[in-house]
Amino acid sequence: KKKLNESKEELLTLAVIDIRRRLFSNSTEIILPFPVDYQIEGAKITIPKRGEKRMLLDLSLRNAKYFALDRRKQESEPKKEKRETRVLNRMRDDLQLKELPIHIECFDNSNIQGTYPVASCVVFKNGKPSKRDYRHFNIKTVVGPDDFGSMKEVIMRRYTRLLNEGQTLPQLIIVDGGKGQLSAAVEGLDEINLRGKISIIGIAKRLEEIYFPTDPVPLYLDKNSESLKLIQFLRNEAHRFAIGFHRDKRSADFIKSELEEVPGFGPATISKLLTHFKSVANVKKASEKELVEIIGTSKYKMLHSFYKK
Protein backbone atom coordinates (compact mmCIF):
# COMPACT_ATOMS: atom_id res chain seq x y z
CA LYS A 1 0.00 0.00 0.00
CA LYS A 2 1.14 3.49 -0.75
CA LYS A 3 2.20 5.49 2.28
CA LEU A 4 3.09 8.65 0.38
CA ASN A 5 3.10 9.22 -3.35
CA GLU A 6 5.53 6.45 -4.29
CA SER A 7 5.80 5.24 -7.87
CA LYS A 8 5.10 1.60 -8.73
CA GLU A 9 8.85 1.13 -9.29
CA GLU A 10 9.61 2.38 -5.78
CA LEU A 11 6.91 0.15 -4.25
CA LEU A 12 8.19 -2.93 -6.11
CA THR A 13 11.76 -2.21 -4.99
CA LEU A 14 10.69 -1.93 -1.35
CA ALA A 15 8.67 -5.16 -1.66
CA VAL A 16 11.62 -7.11 -3.10
CA ILE A 17 13.93 -5.91 -0.33
CA ASP A 18 11.35 -6.70 2.37
CA ILE A 19 10.55 -10.19 1.03
CA ARG A 20 14.22 -11.14 0.77
CA ARG A 21 14.80 -9.96 4.33
CA ARG A 22 11.78 -11.81 5.74
CA LEU A 23 12.59 -15.09 3.99
CA PHE A 24 16.38 -14.82 4.50
CA SER A 25 16.53 -15.28 0.74
CA ASN A 26 19.78 -15.32 -1.20
CA SER A 27 18.22 -16.17 -4.57
CA THR A 28 20.49 -15.39 -7.50
CA GLU A 29 17.64 -14.41 -9.84
CA ILE A 30 14.68 -12.10 -9.30
CA ILE A 31 11.86 -12.13 -11.86
CA LEU A 32 9.99 -8.80 -12.14
CA PRO A 33 7.20 -7.44 -14.42
CA PHE A 34 9.09 -4.21 -15.18
CA PRO A 35 12.57 -2.82 -14.54
CA VAL A 36 13.48 -1.02 -11.31
CA ASP A 37 16.32 1.37 -10.66
CA TYR A 38 17.94 -0.88 -8.05
CA GLN A 39 20.63 -3.56 -8.11
CA ILE A 40 20.88 -6.34 -5.54
CA GLU A 41 24.37 -7.67 -5.02
CA GLY A 42 24.77 -11.27 -6.22
CA ALA A 43 21.34 -11.36 -7.89
CA LYS A 44 20.28 -10.91 -11.52
CA ILE A 45 16.99 -9.14 -12.31
CA THR A 46 15.03 -10.66 -15.21
CA ILE A 47 12.06 -9.08 -17.04
CA PRO A 48 10.63 -12.00 -19.10
CA LYS A 49 8.39 -11.46 -22.11
CA ARG A 50 7.54 -15.11 -22.85
CA GLY A 51 8.34 -18.70 -21.85
CA GLU A 52 8.37 -20.44 -18.46
CA LYS A 53 9.61 -17.40 -16.56
CA ARG A 54 6.76 -15.30 -17.95
CA MET A 55 4.33 -18.03 -16.86
CA LEU A 56 5.88 -17.94 -13.37
CA LEU A 57 5.43 -14.19 -13.28
CA ASP A 58 1.76 -14.47 -14.33
CA LEU A 59 1.18 -17.13 -11.67
CA SER A 60 2.72 -14.84 -9.07
CA LEU A 61 0.43 -12.00 -10.12
CA ARG A 62 -2.66 -14.25 -9.87
CA ASN A 63 -1.59 -15.40 -6.38
CA ALA A 64 -1.19 -11.79 -5.29
CA LYS A 65 -4.67 -10.91 -6.58
CA TYR A 66 -6.26 -13.90 -4.83
CA PHE A 67 -4.46 -12.97 -1.63
CA ALA A 68 -5.66 -9.34 -1.83
CA LEU A 69 -9.23 -10.50 -2.52
CA ASP A 70 -9.18 -12.94 0.40
CA ARG A 71 -7.71 -10.29 2.72
CA ARG A 72 -10.50 -7.84 1.82
CA LYS A 73 -13.09 -10.57 2.42
CA GLN A 74 -11.66 -11.37 5.86
CA GLU A 75 -11.59 -7.70 6.83
CA SER A 76 -15.23 -7.24 5.80
CA GLU A 77 -16.46 -10.28 7.78
CA PRO A 78 -17.00 -10.09 11.57
CA LYS A 79 -14.14 -11.82 13.35
CA LYS A 80 -15.00 -15.30 14.58
CA GLU A 81 -14.56 -15.89 18.28
CA LYS A 82 -11.61 -18.14 19.09
CA ARG A 83 -12.59 -21.62 20.25
CA GLU A 84 -10.81 -21.23 23.60
CA THR A 85 -12.54 -17.92 24.32
CA ARG A 86 -15.90 -19.38 23.29
CA VAL A 87 -15.48 -22.37 25.64
CA LEU A 88 -14.40 -20.17 28.56
CA ASN A 89 -17.34 -17.83 27.99
CA ARG A 90 -19.64 -20.83 27.93
CA MET A 91 -18.11 -22.16 31.15
CA ARG A 92 -18.54 -18.79 32.85
CA ASP A 93 -22.23 -18.79 31.92
CA ASP A 94 -22.83 -22.49 32.80
CA LEU A 95 -21.17 -22.21 36.21
CA GLN A 96 -22.42 -18.64 36.82
CA LEU A 97 -18.92 -17.38 37.52
CA LYS A 98 -18.15 -13.74 38.21
CA GLU A 99 -15.06 -13.73 35.98
CA LEU A 100 -13.89 -15.45 32.82
CA PRO A 101 -11.93 -18.53 34.04
CA ILE A 102 -8.71 -17.74 32.16
CA HIS A 103 -6.63 -19.42 34.92
CA ILE A 104 -8.02 -22.74 36.26
CA GLU A 105 -6.39 -25.15 38.72
CA CYS A 106 -7.53 -28.72 39.41
CA PHE A 107 -6.53 -30.99 42.33
CA ASP A 108 -6.51 -34.76 42.84
CA ASN A 109 -5.26 -37.10 45.60
CA SER A 110 -3.70 -40.54 45.21
CA ASN A 111 -2.86 -43.23 47.80
CA ILE A 112 -3.17 -46.98 48.39
CA GLN A 113 -4.87 -47.60 51.74
CA GLY A 114 -3.15 -44.52 53.11
CA THR A 115 0.35 -45.43 51.94
CA TYR A 116 2.44 -43.04 49.81
CA PRO A 117 -0.21 -40.27 49.93
CA VAL A 118 0.38 -37.67 47.23
CA ALA A 119 -1.60 -35.01 45.42
CA SER A 120 -1.40 -33.14 42.14
CA CYS A 121 -2.32 -29.69 40.89
CA VAL A 122 -2.68 -29.11 37.14
CA VAL A 123 -2.95 -25.60 35.72
CA PHE A 124 -4.82 -24.51 32.58
CA LYS A 125 -4.44 -21.03 31.12
CA ASN A 126 -6.72 -19.80 28.34
CA GLY A 127 -8.28 -23.26 28.14
CA LYS A 128 -4.97 -25.07 27.57
CA PRO A 129 -2.58 -27.00 29.86
CA SER A 130 0.28 -24.92 31.27
CA LYS A 131 2.52 -27.88 32.12
CA ARG A 132 5.38 -25.84 33.52
CA ASP A 133 2.97 -24.74 36.30
CA TYR A 134 1.91 -28.30 37.27
CA ARG A 135 2.80 -29.23 40.86
CA HIS A 136 3.16 -32.43 42.92
CA PHE A 137 2.63 -32.64 46.68
CA ASN A 138 3.79 -35.20 49.24
CA ILE A 139 1.13 -35.23 51.95
CA LYS A 140 2.79 -34.22 55.23
CA THR A 141 0.19 -33.63 57.96
CA VAL A 142 -2.34 -36.40 57.30
CA VAL A 143 -1.99 -39.96 58.64
CA GLY A 144 -3.82 -42.84 56.99
CA PRO A 145 -6.30 -42.83 54.09
CA ASP A 146 -7.89 -39.40 54.58
CA ASP A 147 -8.80 -37.83 51.22
CA PHE A 148 -10.57 -34.91 52.87
CA GLY A 149 -7.63 -34.02 55.12
CA SER A 150 -5.22 -34.39 52.19
CA MET A 151 -7.32 -32.07 50.02
CA LYS A 152 -7.46 -29.43 52.73
CA GLU A 153 -3.68 -29.62 53.22
CA VAL A 154 -2.73 -29.20 49.55
CA ILE A 155 -5.22 -26.36 49.03
CA MET A 156 -3.73 -24.48 51.99
CA ARG A 157 -0.13 -25.15 50.91
CA ARG A 158 -0.72 -24.20 47.29
CA TYR A 159 -2.43 -20.87 47.89
CA THR A 160 -0.38 -19.86 50.93
CA ARG A 161 2.64 -20.15 48.68
CA LEU A 162 1.06 -18.19 45.82
CA LEU A 163 0.07 -15.43 48.26
CA ASN A 164 3.54 -15.32 49.85
CA GLU A 165 5.21 -15.13 46.43
CA GLY A 166 2.80 -12.47 45.17
CA GLN A 167 1.63 -14.64 42.28
CA THR A 168 -1.76 -14.37 40.58
CA LEU A 169 -4.58 -16.56 41.89
CA PRO A 170 -6.84 -18.62 39.59
CA GLN A 171 -10.37 -17.58 38.77
CA LEU A 172 -11.58 -21.17 39.27
CA ILE A 173 -10.50 -24.17 41.39
CA ILE A 174 -11.76 -27.67 40.55
CA VAL A 175 -11.42 -30.57 42.99
CA ASP A 176 -11.78 -34.19 41.93
CA GLY A 177 -14.56 -35.47 44.15
CA GLY A 178 -18.00 -34.71 45.50
CA LYS A 179 -19.32 -32.80 48.49
CA GLY A 180 -16.75 -34.14 50.97
CA GLN A 181 -13.65 -33.18 48.98
CA LEU A 182 -15.20 -29.83 48.07
CA SER A 183 -16.02 -29.02 51.71
CA ALA A 184 -12.46 -29.90 52.75
CA ALA A 185 -11.03 -27.63 50.04
CA VAL A 186 -13.33 -24.77 51.12
CA GLU A 187 -12.15 -25.24 54.74
CA GLY A 188 -8.59 -24.87 53.48
CA LEU A 189 -9.45 -21.62 51.67
CA ASP A 190 -11.27 -20.40 54.78
CA GLU A 191 -8.17 -20.86 56.95
CA ILE A 192 -6.06 -18.65 54.66
CA ASN A 193 -8.83 -16.04 54.21
CA LEU A 194 -9.54 -16.85 50.56
CA ARG A 195 -13.06 -18.21 50.97
CA GLY A 196 -15.39 -16.47 48.55
CA LYS A 197 -12.47 -14.84 46.72
CA ILE A 198 -11.92 -17.73 44.28
CA SER A 199 -14.72 -19.71 42.64
CA ILE A 200 -14.49 -23.42 43.48
CA ILE A 201 -16.38 -26.54 42.34
CA GLY A 202 -16.14 -30.30 42.79
CA ILE A 203 -16.80 -32.92 40.11
CA ALA A 204 -17.98 -36.38 41.22
CA LYS A 205 -17.01 -39.21 38.88
CA ARG A 206 -20.09 -41.44 38.96
CA LEU A 207 -22.59 -39.17 37.24
CA GLU A 208 -20.29 -36.21 36.56
CA GLU A 209 -22.19 -34.04 39.03
CA ILE A 210 -20.87 -30.52 39.53
CA TYR A 211 -21.03 -29.40 43.19
CA PHE A 212 -20.94 -25.84 44.52
CA PRO A 213 -20.02 -24.91 48.12
CA THR A 214 -23.36 -23.32 49.02
CA ASP A 215 -25.73 -25.54 47.01
CA PRO A 216 -26.69 -29.05 48.18
CA VAL A 217 -28.13 -29.87 44.75
CA PRO A 218 -25.52 -30.68 42.07
CA LEU A 219 -25.51 -29.26 38.55
CA TYR A 220 -25.70 -31.67 35.62
CA LEU A 221 -24.23 -30.32 32.42
CA ASP A 222 -25.11 -31.78 29.04
CA LYS A 223 -22.67 -34.61 28.28
CA ASN A 224 -21.80 -32.89 24.99
CA SER A 225 -21.28 -29.51 26.66
CA GLU A 226 -17.92 -27.88 25.91
CA SER A 227 -17.82 -26.72 29.53
CA LEU A 228 -18.15 -30.28 30.84
CA LYS A 229 -15.56 -31.57 28.40
CA LEU A 230 -13.02 -28.99 29.58
CA ILE A 231 -13.76 -29.81 33.24
CA GLN A 232 -13.35 -33.53 32.49
CA PHE A 233 -10.08 -32.84 30.68
CA LEU A 234 -8.77 -30.98 33.75
CA ARG A 235 -9.95 -33.75 36.12
CA ASN A 236 -8.43 -36.53 33.99
CA GLU A 237 -5.16 -34.63 33.62
CA ALA A 238 -4.94 -34.10 37.41
CA HIS A 239 -5.66 -37.80 37.97
CA ARG A 240 -3.02 -38.89 35.45
CA PHE A 241 -0.45 -36.57 36.98
CA ALA A 242 -1.18 -37.75 40.54
CA ILE A 243 -1.12 -41.45 39.60
CA GLY A 244 2.19 -41.03 37.75
CA PHE A 245 3.80 -39.32 40.74
CA HIS A 246 2.41 -41.95 43.12
CA ARG A 247 3.78 -44.77 40.98
CA ASP A 248 7.22 -43.16 40.71
CA LYS A 249 7.39 -42.56 44.43
CA ARG A 250 6.32 -46.10 45.25
CA SER A 251 8.88 -47.58 42.84
CA ALA A 252 11.69 -45.38 44.13
CA ASP A 253 10.93 -46.25 47.76
CA PHE A 254 10.80 -49.97 46.95
CA ILE A 255 14.19 -49.88 45.18
CA LYS A 256 15.71 -47.84 47.96
CA SER A 257 14.40 -49.98 50.81
CA GLU A 258 15.34 -53.31 49.22
CA LEU A 259 18.97 -52.46 48.42
CA GLU A 260 19.42 -50.60 51.69
CA GLU A 261 18.66 -53.84 53.51
CA VAL A 262 21.83 -55.44 52.12
CA PRO A 263 24.36 -55.46 55.01
CA GLY A 264 27.40 -53.32 54.16
CA PHE A 265 25.70 -51.45 51.32
CA GLY A 266 25.78 -47.65 51.42
CA PRO A 267 24.42 -44.97 49.05
CA ALA A 268 27.52 -45.06 46.82
CA THR A 269 27.24 -48.82 46.17
CA ILE A 270 23.48 -48.61 45.54
CA SER A 271 24.01 -45.70 43.16
CA LYS A 272 26.66 -47.62 41.19
CA LEU A 273 24.36 -50.62 40.78
CA LEU A 274 21.28 -48.63 39.72
CA THR A 275 23.26 -46.35 37.41
CA HIS A 276 24.66 -49.36 35.56
CA PHE A 277 21.77 -51.87 35.71
CA LYS A 278 18.86 -49.35 35.81
CA SER A 279 16.69 -51.50 38.13
CA VAL A 280 16.80 -53.98 41.02
CA ALA A 281 15.34 -56.63 38.69
CA ASN A 282 18.35 -56.27 36.39
CA VAL A 283 20.72 -56.43 39.38
CA LYS A 284 19.17 -59.78 40.36
CA LYS A 285 19.61 -61.13 36.83
CA ALA A 286 23.22 -59.96 36.44
CA SER A 287 26.07 -62.47 36.39
CA GLU A 288 28.78 -62.70 39.02
CA LYS A 289 31.33 -61.31 36.55
CA GLU A 290 29.18 -58.25 35.75
CA LEU A 291 28.54 -57.48 39.41
CA VAL A 292 32.17 -57.90 40.45
CA GLU A 293 33.20 -55.44 37.72
CA ILE A 294 30.84 -52.82 39.12
CA ILE A 295 31.09 -53.24 42.94
CA GLY A 296 34.05 -55.56 43.53
CA THR A 297 34.32 -59.07 45.00
CA SER A 298 33.59 -58.30 48.66
CA LYS A 299 30.42 -56.30 47.91
CA TYR A 300 29.30 -58.98 45.47
CA LYS A 301 29.59 -61.61 48.24
CA MET A 302 27.42 -59.44 50.51
CA LEU A 303 24.78 -59.09 47.78
CA HIS A 304 24.88 -62.77 46.89
CA SER A 305 24.51 -63.78 50.53
CA PHE A 306 21.57 -61.37 51.02
CA TYR A 307 19.56 -62.72 48.07
CA LYS A 308 20.48 -66.33 48.82
CA LYS A 309 18.84 -65.95 52.21
Side-chain angles (χ1 to χ4, degrees):
K1 292 182 179 180
K2 287 189 176 185
K3 304 253 184 221
L4 299 168
N5 194 28
E6 302 100 327
S7 66
K8 62 179 186 179
E9 288 80 11
E10 287 174 314
L11 285 173
L12 185 58
T13 300
L14 291 171
V16 169
I17 294 169
D18 187 50
I19 290 169
R20 283 175 71 83
R21 179 184 59 78
R22 287 193 198 187
L23 302 181
F24 303 100
S25 172
N26 57 358
S27 304
T28 56
E29 184 176 19
I30 302 170
I31 301 173
L32 300 180
F34 47 79
V36 294
D37 187 20
Y38 185 78
Q39 293 297 320
I40 293 177
E41 188 177 347
K44 178 182 72 170
I45 291 177
T46 303
I47 318 293
K49 299 297 180 185
R50 63 184 67 82
E52 287 186 4
K53 290 181 181 179
R54 182 68 215 186
M55 290 170 65
L56 263 179
L57 189 62
D58 291 342
L59 175 62
S60 178
L61 182 60
R62 286 201 300 276
N63 284 340
K65 285 180 177 176
Y66 284 132
F67 176 80
L69 185 65
D70 187 56
R71 173 65 63 87
R72 285 197 295 272
K73 185 179 176 184
Q74 286 180 17
E75 288 174 352
S76 65
E77 290 178 350
K79 288 186 178 178
K80 290 183 179 177
E81 193 176 32
K82 278 189 176 180
R83 182 187 175 278
E84 291 82 7
T85 306
R86 186 187 72 242
V87 173
L88 294 179
N89 276 314
R90 184 77 220 173
M91 180 182 279
R92 179 183 58 189
D93 295 342
D94 286 343
L95 302 180
Q96 297 183 353
L97 304 175
K98 296 175 185 175
E99 300 176 90
L100 196 68
I102 293 169
H103 177 175
I104 307 173
E105 299 193 351
C106 183
F107 294 83
D108 186 29
N109 297 324
S110 180
N111 68 76
I112 297 178
Q113 296 179 339
T115 60
Y116 305 103
V118 298
S120 70
C121 167
V122 299
V123 179
F124 276 39
K125 292 181 177 177
N126 295 308
K128 294 180 179 179
S130 179
K131 295 197 175 184
R132 67 177 184 176
D133 296 314
Y134 284 18
R135 293 292 180 268
H136 284 134
F137 298 88
N138 288 306
I139 303 302
K140 297 178 178 178
T141 63
V142 176
V143 179
D146 182 356
D147 276 351
F148 301 158
S150 297
M151 185 62 73
K152 180 179 176 180
E153 178 189 319
V154 296
I155 289 287
M156 289 179 64
R157 284 169 58 190
R158 170 65 174 167
Y159 297 113
T160 298
R161 179 162 189 168
L162 291 190
L163 287 170
N164 289 340
E165 293 178 353
Q167 295 189 45
T168 56
L169 297 171
Q171 287 84 37
L172 176 64
I173 298 170
I174 300 172
V175 298
D176 182 18
K179 263 293 183 187
Q181 281 88 349
L182 179 61
S183 297
V186 171
E187 282 180 27
L189 291 176
D190 200 15
E191 291 207 19
I192 53 177
N193 298 315
L194 284 180
R195 185 169 188 167
K197 296 178 183 177
I198 308 174
S199 297
I200 183 168
I201 62 169
I203 176 168
K205 287 186 181 73
R206 193 168 64 87
L207 296 173
E208 305 292 53
E209 304 105 325
I210 307 294
Y211 284 94
F212 297 85
T214 56
D215 193 345
V217 180
L219 170 70
Y220 294 92
L221 294 173
D222 186 287
K223 65 180 181 179
N224 294 317
S225 157
E226 289 183 314
S227 300
L228 180 61
K229 286 179 180 177
L230 181 55
I231 293 168
Q232 289 170 328
F233 185 13
L234 277 143
R235 187 265 314 279
N236 295 341
E237 184 71 350
H239 186 64
R240 178 196 66 78
F241 199 50
I243 289 291
F245 182 48
H246 185 265
R247 187 185 300 116
D248 291 345
K249 185 179 177 183
R250 206 169 62 234
S251 299
D253 280 3
F254 174 75
I255 288 168
K256 183 180 173 185
S257 61
E258 185 167 311
L259 288 179
E260 281 184 349
E261 288 176 16
V262 181
F265 269 37
T269 305
I270 294 170
S271 178
K272 279 183 186 178
L273 285 169
L274 294 179
T275 300
H276 184 81
F277 294 106
K278 309 301 181 189
S279 71
V280 174
N282 289 338
V283 170
K284 291 178 182 178
K285 289 185 221 170
S287 68
E288 178 181 350
K289 182 182 176 184
E290 288 176 306
L291 290 166
V292 168
E293 283 179 2
I294 301 302
I295 57 174
T297 305
S298 61
K299 295 286 185 186
Y300 165 73
K301 288 179 179 177
M302 295 174 189
L303 186 66
H304 180 70
S305 175
F306 173 78
Y307 279 117
K308 192 175 180 182
K309 288 177 184 177

